Amino acid sequence: MLKRSRRHGRRRPMSDINVVPYIDVMLVLLVIFMVTAPLITQGVKVNLPQARAGGIPSPTVASVIITVDRMGDFYLDAGQDRHLPATDKTLYDRIRTVLAYKPETPVLVRADNEVDYGRVVRAMVVAQAAGAPNVGLITAPPARREP
């Protein structure tokens, strides 16, 4: 009789998984990614000219953006070494490669307000030589003045 009570007195092993520690880890990772994401973005700081211009419709594919900084150096947001200045040949090769895969990709030039206009034109000429049918310019909207 003693043996029977032991047998019935045992508990079955618990088969539920405790997910609370996993949720805690996921929340910590979420906070880490939210804090580090803005730090990861790289770019070249340029002072865009301000102008009132009609907007262009949003393209259906991602644009290729050529940035011309204050010193007149070219940067391209496609390919490797986006944060390093690109030569005319590098610019040409990268744009040509992008347009070979997606010919409808728009090419836009973003130039600093202080840069020599000849460098902006040079970027546009290289983009057109690489096969871009149209090259657009990016400007910042003018600052609003309070009355």
Side-chain angles (χ1 to χ4, degrees):
M1 184 148 173
L2 186 61
K3 272 188 163 179
R4 265 184 118 180
S5 64
R6 272 191 198 166
R7 199 182 250 170
H8 290 294
R10 286 188 183 172
R11 291 186 176 180
R12 293 182 51 204
M14 187 183 209
S15 62
D16 295 336
I17 297 175
N18 187 4
V19 296
V20 173
Y22 298 118
I23 293 172
D24 291 343
V25 169
M26 293 302 293
L27 288 174
V28 169
L29 288 175
L30 177 67
V31 169
I32 290 171
F33 288 135
M34 287 172 55
V35 169
T36 58
L39 303 175
I40 294 173
T41 57
Q42 296 180 0
V44 180
K45 183 155 178 73
V46 292
N47 183 14
L48 291 175
Q50 297 181 354
R52 281 193 195 270
I56 57 173
S58 296
T60 56
V61 294
S63 302
V64 173
I65 299 176
I66 303 168
T67 302
V68 185
D69 69 357
R70 178 175 282 199
M71 304 305 290
D73 293 328
F74 298 134
Y75 297 88
L76 190 67
D77 71 340
Q80 296 178 352
D81 301 327
R82 297 176 185 197
H83 61 283
L84 295 177
T87 63
D88 289 359
K89 172 127 178 61
T90 306
L91 201 63
Y92 175 85
D93 291 340
R94 288 185 188 168
I95 293 172
R96 188 108 172 126
T97 302
V98 169
L99 293 175
Y101 288 105
K102 293 185 179 176
E104 69 279 354
T105 303
V107 178
L108 302 171
V109 177
R110 180 177 73 178
D112 192 275
N113 195 28
E114 303 292 322
V115 75
D116 181 39
Y117 186 65
R119 293 300 288 169
V120 176
V121 172
R122 181 70 189 150
M124 295 174 77
V125 167
V126 170
Q128 286 181 337
N134 296 315
V135 180
L137 294 173
I138 298 175
T139 62
R144 295 181 77 183
R145 293 184 185 163
E146 295 297 323

